[in-house]
Amino acid sequence: MRKNIVAGNWKMNNDLAQTQELIADLKKQMSGEPAATIMVAPTYTNLYPAFEALKDTPVIVAAQNMHQEDNGAFTGEISAAMLKSVGVETVILGHSERRAQFNETNELLAKKVDVALENDMTVIFCFGEELEDRKADKHFDLVERQLKESLYHLPKESWKSIILAYEPVWAIGTGETASPEQAQEMHAFIRKSVADKFGSDVADGVSILYGGSCKPGNAKEIFANEDVDGGLIGGASLKAEDFLAIVNSF
Ligand code: 13P
């Protein structure tokens, strides 16, 4: 069955010392069995120190992106094998910031997903509509297209390595959260779409996270929804106390 997961996307924040400090705070403040699977995604330069510092804990270290080629003349890029060589087996793909600022298309993301899965990695696949899509009542169509064009070519068995993260772009970093009803409505739609294509066993097994201005004050009511299996947290994941309060909202 699907797992509850809370993942912190640290984005382009924190140098090495700050990363080590945040991890030390997390380790100090974590007590007992966590209420959900915890993941954190530091910047590339901090992945290995984070992996080393967290390897004796249940916290999983994820990357924020990777390139679709194995190696070669791709200045500035990082491959799946490179991530794996420093202990990282989970990767966030398709974040809206990468779609908007680095021109990542559904087609490119399909390739990245394939390569991550060929390398036995777990993918946190992000998608979600812009405000104008929602205003024009196109948000369901758009979200389904993002899923179809990047994930619906996969064989059924690949879905055990996929985590979905619905992040409405209008809620990211804005302080404006989707209401619990809006989150549930979209998550139920996503699960039904996956069920129609791959069967209810796959749909019931996939974790669907919500992302966008999730905080200690609103996590509980968002996570209480039937089809919301956790969160992908930006700003609030940069403070151990807030992040762990979100984890403990289950
Ligand atoms: P915020 O929680 O800062 O809105 O960011 C969400 C996000 O983009 C996580 O990937």
Side-chain angles (χ1 to χ4, degrees), residues 79-98:
S79 72
M82 290 168 191
L83 295 177
K84 289 199 72 180
S85 74
V86 296
V88 175
E89 304 198 328
T90 303
V91 62
I92 297 173
L93 293 176
H95 193 280
S96 65
E97 287 148 18
R98 296 216 54 90

Side-chain angles (χ1 to χ4, degrees), residues 96 100 128-135 139 142 168-170:
S96 65
E129 82 282 0
E130 309 252 357
L131 188 57
E132 50 270 33
D133 303 315
R134 185 166 276 266
K135 281 191 176 150
H139 46 304
L142 184 117
V169 180
W170 48 271

